Amino acid sequence: KPARRPLCTQRLVDAQDRTITFEGYTDSALGTAASWLVPATSAVLAALFGLVLFDYYYGCEWSFPSQLCYVGTFSVFGDFDTNSAVFLTVWSCSVSWFALLVWGRGGQMANLFRLHAPLHSAGYVHVTVQEQRATLSSGHSRILAFRDRLLSLASRLAGGSSDVPGGVMGLSGG
């Protein structure tokens, strides 16, 4: 008989027919170090963008309106083409990075850097309340049926989780 593992996740249904999920987490040294890399990476990308702007505009005379300067001396990267290539690279990495941060894990990115732990010894407990949605309608609505199919598809694309943001396809009162 295999050894019984303590539960890291517990679900229960309350009196209002809502499913409440409790997930236990604890910190780890490697996870803490990795979580510090997220703001450090953001700061490095912002600093690189600032360096590209400094290189592009360094040496301009800013006397308005008689002498406007649009291109500087390129003291860091040497010429316009290199500066443009570095800008495109930094911009592409920044867009990808910040899109990952915005889309990442439904606002629970901190739990990506923690280990699942039994609830009795967890340092952090993530509580999710999922309400049963009821749509009041006088009859069959094609729009609501289409919306339900889209939400079901989005849930399957998100890995079968029900953590699809409520504002994505939410209708007021629905």
mmCIF file of all heavy atoms in Angstrom, residues 25-28 31 108-116 124:
data_model
loop_
_atom_site.group_PDB
_atom_site.id
_atom_site.type_symbol
_atom_site.label_atom_id
_atom_site.label_comp_id
_atom_site.label_asym_id
_atom_site.label_seq_id
_atom_site.Cartn_x
_atom_site.Cartn_y
_atom_site.Cartn_z
ATOM 1 N N TYR A 25 0.948 26.558 -0.352
ATOM 2 C CA TYR A 25 2.264 26.822 -0.945
ATOM 3 C C TYR A 25 3.250 27.149 0.162
ATOM 4 O O TYR A 25 2.877 27.650 1.221
ATOM 5 C CB TYR A 25 2.218 28.013 -1.911
ATOM 6 C CG TYR A 25 1.407 27.774 -3.153
ATOM 7 C CD1 TYR A 25 0.086 28.176 -3.218
ATOM 8 C CD2 TYR A 25 1.958 27.150 -4.262
ATOM 9 C CE1 TYR A 25 -0.667 27.966 -4.355
ATOM 10 C CE2 TYR A 25 1.223 26.940 -5.400
ATOM 11 C CZ TYR A 25 -0.096 27.346 -5.451
ATOM 12 O OH TYR A 25 -0.833 27.142 -6.581
ATOM 13 N N THR A 26 4.518 26.889 -0.126
ATOM 14 C CA THR A 26 5.597 27.277 0.768
ATOM 15 C C THR A 26 6.750 27.816 -0.070
ATOM 16 O O THR A 26 6.883 27.480 -1.250
ATOM 17 C CB THR A 26 6.047 26.091 1.651
ATOM 18 O OG1 THR A 26 6.996 26.563 2.594
ATOM 19 C CG2 THR A 26 6.676 24.987 0.826
ATOM 20 N N ASP A 27 7.576 28.654 0.523
ATOM 21 C CA ASP A 27 8.714 29.233 -0.188
ATOM 22 C C ASP A 27 9.840 28.222 -0.318
ATOM 23 O O ASP A 27 9.972 27.298 0.483
ATOM 24 C CB ASP A 27 9.240 30.468 0.551
ATOM 25 C CG ASP A 27 8.353 31.683 0.352
ATOM 26 O OD1 ASP A 27 7.771 31.815 -0.732
ATOM 27 O OD2 ASP A 27 8.254 32.493 1.290
ATOM 28 N N SER A 28 10.677 28.442 -1.327
ATOM 29 C CA SER A 28 11.907 27.673 -1.483
ATOM 30 C C SER A 28 13.021 28.650 -1.853
ATOM 31 O O SER A 28 12.749 29.736 -2.374
ATOM 32 C CB SER A 28 11.757 26.603 -2.568
ATOM 33 O OG SER A 28 11.659 27.203 -3.839
ATOM 34 N N GLY A 31 13.122 29.179 -5.658
ATOM 35 C CA GLY A 31 11.955 29.947 -6.087
ATOM 36 C C GLY A 31 12.064 31.415 -5.713
ATOM 37 O O GLY A 31 11.682 32.292 -6.480
ATOM 38 N N GLN A 108 -1.571 35.277 -10.418
ATOM 39 C CA GLN A 108 -0.978 34.455 -9.365
ATOM 40 C C GLN A 108 0.444 34.045 -9.722
ATOM 41 O O GLN A 108 0.859 32.927 -9.465
ATOM 42 C CB GLN A 108 -1.837 33.212 -9.122
ATOM 43 C CG GLN A 108 -3.196 33.526 -8.582
ATOM 44 C CD GLN A 108 -3.103 34.266 -7.264
ATOM 45 O OE1 GLN A 108 -2.290 33.948 -6.417
ATOM 46 N NE2 GLN A 108 -3.929 35.271 -7.100
ATOM 47 N N MET A 109 1.194 34.945 -10.342
ATOM 48 C CA MET A 109 2.539 34.605 -10.770
ATOM 49 C C MET A 109 3.452 34.276 -9.588
ATOM 50 O O MET A 109 4.347 33.456 -9.705
ATOM 51 C CB MET A 109 3.145 35.732 -11.591
ATOM 52 C CG MET A 109 4.487 35.343 -12.183
ATOM 53 S SD MET A 109 5.080 36.468 -13.398
ATOM 54 C CE MET A 109 4.132 35.956 -14.793
ATOM 55 N N ALA A 110 3.223 34.862 -8.437
ATOM 56 C CA ALA A 110 4.070 34.581 -7.275
ATOM 57 C C ALA A 110 4.025 33.104 -6.908
ATOM 58 O O ALA A 110 5.022 32.546 -6.454
ATOM 59 C CB ALA A 110 3.640 35.428 -6.088
ATOM 60 N N ASN A 111 2.892 32.447 -7.131
ATOM 61 C CA ASN A 111 2.786 31.031 -6.798
ATOM 62 C C ASN A 111 3.574 30.143 -7.754
ATOM 63 O O ASN A 111 3.806 28.975 -7.451
ATOM 64 C CB ASN A 111 1.319 30.602 -6.758
ATOM 65 C CG ASN A 111 0.602 31.190 -5.575
ATOM 66 O OD1 ASN A 111 1.213 31.529 -4.567
ATOM 67 N ND2 ASN A 111 -0.702 31.325 -5.690
ATOM 68 N N LEU A 112 3.989 30.661 -8.896
ATOM 69 C CA LEU A 112 4.842 29.888 -9.788
ATOM 70 C C LEU A 112 6.209 29.629 -9.158
ATOM 71 O O LEU A 112 6.881 28.668 -9.505
ATOM 72 C CB LEU A 112 5.038 30.621 -11.120
ATOM 73 C CG LEU A 112 3.857 30.646 -12.071
ATOM 74 C CD1 LEU A 112 4.185 31.503 -13.277
ATOM 75 C CD2 LEU A 112 3.489 29.249 -12.498
ATOM 76 N N PHE A 113 6.618 30.481 -8.242
ATOM 77 C CA PHE A 113 7.935 30.366 -7.625
ATOM 78 C C PHE A 113 7.871 29.711 -6.247
ATOM 79 O O PHE A 113 8.841 29.733 -5.509
ATOM 80 C CB PHE A 113 8.584 31.745 -7.514
ATOM 81 C CG PHE A 113 8.700 32.440 -8.840
ATOM 82 C CD1 PHE A 113 7.908 33.526 -9.135
ATOM 83 C CD2 PHE A 113 9.571 31.975 -9.800
ATOM 84 C CE1 PHE A 113 7.995 34.155 -10.358
ATOM 85 C CE2 PHE A 113 9.671 32.594 -11.022
ATOM 86 C CZ PHE A 113 8.887 33.694 -11.304
ATOM 87 N N ARG A 114 6.736 29.148 -5.918
ATOM 88 C CA ARG A 114 6.569 28.469 -4.631
ATOM 89 C C ARG A 114 6.292 26.994 -4.869
ATOM 90 O O ARG A 114 5.878 26.588 -5.951
ATOM 91 C CB ARG A 114 5.406 29.090 -3.854
ATOM 92 C CG ARG A 114 5.667 30.525 -3.458
ATOM 93 C CD ARG A 114 4.486 31.101 -2.702
ATOM 94 N NE ARG A 114 4.782 32.484 -2.331
ATOM 95 C CZ ARG A 114 3.897 33.455 -2.374
ATOM 96 N NH1 ARG A 114 2.656 33.223 -2.746
ATOM 97 N NH2 ARG A 114 4.238 34.677 -2.024
ATOM 98 N N LEU A 115 6.504 26.192 -3.844
ATOM 99 C CA LEU A 115 6.243 24.767 -3.916
ATOM 100 C C LEU A 115 4.891 24.460 -3.296
ATOM 101 O O LEU A 115 4.496 25.078 -2.308
ATOM 102 C CB LEU A 115 7.334 24.000 -3.154
ATOM 103 C CG LEU A 115 8.760 24.161 -3.668
ATOM 104 C CD1 LEU A 115 9.729 23.467 -2.728
ATOM 105 C CD2 LEU A 115 8.889 23.606 -5.069
ATOM 106 N N HIS A 116 4.187 23.482 -3.879
ATOM 107 C CA HIS A 116 2.943 23.018 -3.251
ATOM 108 C C HIS A 116 3.282 22.423 -1.900
ATOM 109 O O HIS A 116 4.302 21.746 -1.736
ATOM 110 C CB HIS A 116 2.255 21.962 -4.120
ATOM 111 C CG HIS A 116 1.474 22.548 -5.241
ATOM 112 N ND1 HIS A 116 0.230 23.104 -5.072
ATOM 113 C CD2 HIS A 116 1.753 22.678 -6.556
ATOM 114 C CE1 HIS A 116 -0.213 23.540 -6.222
ATOM 115 N NE2 HIS A 116 0.690 23.298 -7.148
ATOM 116 N N TYR A 124 1.579 29.914 2.638
ATOM 117 C CA TYR A 124 0.636 30.719 1.877
ATOM 118 C C TYR A 124 -0.498 29.797 1.430
ATOM 119 O O TYR A 124 -0.261 28.663 1.033
ATOM 120 C CB TYR A 124 1.288 31.323 0.625
ATOM 121 C CG TYR A 124 2.521 32.118 0.932
ATOM 122 C CD1 TYR A 124 3.783 31.530 0.904
ATOM 123 C CD2 TYR A 124 2.437 33.466 1.257
ATOM 124 C CE1 TYR A 124 4.915 32.260 1.192
ATOM 125 C CE2 TYR A 124 3.560 34.194 1.547
ATOM 126 C CZ TYR A 124 4.805 33.586 1.507
ATOM 127 O OH TYR A 124 5.920 34.305 1.796
#
